Amino acid sequence: MTPEDLSAAIRTCLLEAVDAGEFAVDVPSAVRVERPRGREHGDWSTNVAMQLAKKASMNPRDFATKLAQRLEQIDGIASVDVAGPGFLNITLDAASAGELAKTIVEAGRSFGRGEALAGRRVNLEFVSANPTGPIHLGGTRWAAVGDSLARVLEAAGAAVTREYYFNDHGAQIDRFARSLLASAKGEPAPEDGYAGGYITEIASTIVENHPGVLDLPDDQAQEVFRAEGVDRMFGEIKESLHNFGVDFDVFFHENNLHDSGAVERAIAKLTELGRMEERDGAVWLKTTEFGDDKDRVVIKSDGEAAYFAGDIAYYLDKRERGFDTEIIMLGADHHGYVGRMMAMCAAFGDTPNENLQILIGQMVNLVKDGAPVRMSKRAGTVVVLEDLVEAVGVDAARYSLTRNSTDSNIDVDLDLLARRTNDNPVFYVQYAHARTCNVARLAHEDGVHREDGFDPSLLTHESEAALLAILGDFPRVVAQSAELREPHRIARYLETLASKFHKWYDQCRVRPAMNDGELDEVCDLHRTRLWLNDATRQTLANGLDLLGVSAPERL
């Protein structure tokens, strides 16, 4: 019996009780079941009696007791205890609990996936680093977390579009072009410009491709360096992300907002809604009416569009493309940006934190030999994506950046991630998967084949119950990770699953034992345990895939 099966069974009992006149309540469309804190409290727990008792004008324990009596009649449920103010602690019989192993294996890659977000179109914008240099560690964290979040949302049924906002309109591009030109001339970088080996590389390539470019007037030469420099830098960014396992469906150019008339359309719509105001020679969006600390300039007094004009145009453009939810992932220096964006969302008549959601990520520090790593081999001043991948590889980089809440600063210990030991979390989880593969290979060599038998009632060892319990929790963890936009929950779950599996491996044999030089006879216990082993392998693989991390068969 899966958690979903149990949830459906509880709901059926509630409906039957209502029909019998025991309760007078509206039965919810779904009943939530959770793992109790301790195994002594059973396999699953629900507080549905506490939720509904007041509506039924009943004492919660009395409500729970009546519901427990019905649940105890269901095949597969061994016992139901009423605890505290009205919790229901449910224990499944061994056969019912063990059936989960076969369910997982037969579900394969689909195990853990659900339909909670079915029909929801989500635009997920992340990384969006300016094309003026390699991706720094903050952007690298968003690359790992963003791609994992997209996978988790898709696992919950959403249709997700991964989008990169290509900021090719603004002062930073001018500084980049001036920096390239200065490097080509052998001059120091401008005071507000960019430096590093990558600037020298790109500048040299442009000079090689355009032999007479330095003979042009500076303004003309700068345009050559701007056009080709941005194109080359962005090409490198795309390649770096692809090599990191991150690909985008849409690369949206900021210039398009200004060239296509999107800014004017957004202003016209907000004006029609009565949200705009002319004041002091400028055009303002009245965001204070929607909780912002001050109104925001959209068109400056000189007639030029303010930066915020691009924001409102981009938001409306996505909504017009049919997205129900826009999720934007921003760096730690953008906290002050949230209020105005949510006010803008509300000004369009949409719902903040539903139609528009903003995630803020904190800083990342690399540590080696107990000290911070501050310099990049290529960028010079900051550590970038390639530095991290070169040090520990894609899998360890992605896993380490995703396993913590984005609300927290993290220190990535390069020495730890290079170790093939259990204190390295990515190795610990990948080793568990590789071990399940090895168990299956050796079991097959000994004549243990799943298709020859399955008796879930034989899975009675304490470690088997614990392993089955954590396996059954995977769909809930995936759904919660999607709901809360927190893919780090997947990583923490996998570490717990790996721990339960390693303990089970140490205590329960899948292969027949060797006695006096001969193997014991293969029996249904061996076959059934192989189903449990393979269910663990599938769940580990599915979880690692949600993080964009490989599931190796050997380590």
Side-chain angles (χ1 to χ4, degrees), residues 135 164 166 233-244 246-248 251 253:
I135 299 173
Y164 189 116
F166 182 17
M233 191 69 256
F234 198 52
E236 290 189 16
I237 288 172
K238 287 182 180 179
E239 183 179 3
S240 295
L241 289 168
H242 175 74
N243 293 337
F244 198 52
V246 179
D247 293 297
F248 288 84
F251 289 95
H253 290 253

Side-chain angles (χ1 to χ4, degrees), residues 43 187 197 210 222 311 356-357 372 406 427 448 452 502 551:
D43 296 308
E187 299 173 354
H210 301 272
Q222 186 172 311
D311 291 331
L356 175 63
Q357 299 170 10
T406 55
F427 176 82
V448 181
D452 293 339
H502 290 310

Side-chain angles (χ1 to χ4, degrees), residues 125 165 167 169 252-264 266-267 270 285 297-299 304-318 321 326 328 337 341 344 348:
E125 182 205 332
Y165 185 62
N167 191 341
H169 182 92
F252 191 98
H253 290 253
E254 183 185 6
N255 268 337
N256 290 347
L257 295 173
H258 300 272
D259 296 341
S260 68
V263 171
E264 289 78 9
I267 292 174
L270 288 168
L285 177 60
V297 174
V298 176
I299 302 296
E304 291 294 316
Y307 188 84
F308 193 53
D311 291 331
I312 64 174
Y314 191 34
Y315 175 80
L316 181 61
D317 178 86
K318 289 179 182 177
R321 282 188 268 152
E326 301 178 24
I328 306 175
Y337 205 60
M341 291 294 287
M344 174 268 295
F348 275 114

Side-chain angles (χ1 to χ4, degrees), residues 448-498:
V448 181
H449 304 291
R450 286 197 323 248
E451 59 272 18
D452 293 339
F454 177 67
D455 184 355
S457 66
L458 299 175
L459 300 176
T460 58
H461 193 278
E462 181 181 357
S463 65
E464 289 169 332
L467 182 54
L468 285 163
I470 191 67
L471 287 170
D473 212 23
F474 184 57
R476 182 194 65 80
V477 172
V478 175
Q480 189 176 61
S481 296
E483 177 187 358
L484 300 176
R485 315 306 194 228
E486 293 181 342
H488 73 273
R489 292 173 179 269
I490 302 293
R492 299 303 177 144
Y493 167 85
L494 291 175
E495 291 165 31
T496 302
L497 174 57

Side-chain angles (χ1 to χ4, degrees), residues 114-367:
E115 298 295 323
L117 297 179
R120 194 86 180 162
R121 292 193 61 200
V122 177
N123 181 286
L124 178 60
E125 182 205 332
F126 61 108
V127 182
S128 297
N130 290 336
T132 54
I135 299 173
H136 57 68
L137 278 185
T140 304
R141 184 180 193 181
W142 273 145
V145 174
D147 186 63
S148 296
L149 177 57
R151 293 165 184 254
V152 168
L153 292 171
E154 288 170 338
V160 180
T161 294
R162 297 161 172 82
E163 186 149 324
Y164 189 116
Y165 185 62
F166 182 17
N167 191 341
D168 53 357
H169 182 92
Q172 78 285 347
I173 302 297
D174 293 334
R175 294 197 298 271
F176 179 59
R178 292 200 305 271
S179 301
L180 292 172
L181 179 58
S183 177
K185 289 181 170 183
E187 299 173 354
E191 186 175 343
D192 59 350
Y194 300 91
Y198 76 97
I199 291 290
T200 303
E201 292 171 16
I202 294 174
S204 298
T205 301
I206 293 173
V207 170
E208 184 178 332
N209 292 340
H210 301 272
V213 66
L214 295 180
D215 297 327
L216 297 172
D218 278 359
D219 58 342
Q220 295 179 32
Q222 186 172 311
E223 287 306 307
V224 174
F225 281 95
R226 175 203 296 273
E228 187 162 340
V230 167
D231 186 59
R232 287 187 173 278
M233 191 69 256
F234 198 52
E236 290 189 16
I237 288 172
K238 287 182 180 179
E239 183 179 3
S240 295
L241 289 168
H242 175 74
N243 293 337
F244 198 52
V246 179
D247 293 297
F248 288 84
D249 304 300
V250 174
F251 289 95
F252 191 98
H253 290 253
E254 183 185 6
N255 268 337
N256 290 347
L257 295 173
H258 300 272
D259 296 341
S260 68
V263 171
E264 289 78 9
R265 289 197 305 275
I267 292 174
K269 179 161 186 175
L270 288 168
T271 300
E272 181 183 341
L273 291 169
R275 313 303 192 201
M276 306 296 291
E277 179 179 74
E278 291 190 25
R279 190 168 70 241
D280 301 328
V283 179
W284 302 70
L285 177 60
K286 296 184 286 185
T287 52
T288 52
E289 294 183 1
F290 303 96
D292 196 6
D293 59 345
K294 61 181 180 180
D295 291 338
R296 302 292 170 174
V297 174
V298 176
I299 302 296
K300 295 182 286 187
S301 57
D302 61 4
E304 291 294 316
Y307 188 84
F308 193 53
D311 291 331
I312 64 174
Y314 191 34
Y315 175 80
L316 181 61
D317 178 86
K318 289 179 182 177
R319 291 288 279 141
E320 290 177 339
R321 282 188 268 152
F323 293 108
D324 306 297
T325 300
E326 301 178 24
I327 303 175
I328 306 175
M329 307 177 76
L330 299 174
D333 56 343
H334 285 75
H335 273 287
Y337 205 60
V338 177
R340 76 189 70 172
M341 291 294 287
M342 291 304 173
M344 174 268 295
C345 170
F348 275 114
D350 289 340
T351 305
N353 299 310
E354 181 179 323
N355 298 115
L356 175 63
Q357 299 170 10
I358 297 178
L359 306 180
I360 301 291
Q362 298 303 317
M363 302 298 292
V364 181
N365 300 302
L366 288 192
V367 177

Side-chain angles (χ1 to χ4, degrees), residues 96-128:
S96 180
E99 281 287 346
L100 179 65
K102 192 172 186 180
T103 298
I104 293 172
V105 173
E106 291 176 344
R109 290 175 58 86
S110 67
F111 179 64
R113 305 183 76 86
E115 298 295 323
L117 297 179
R120 194 86 180 162
R121 292 193 61 200
V122 177
N123 181 286
L124 178 60
E125 182 205 332
F126 61 108
V127 182
S128 297

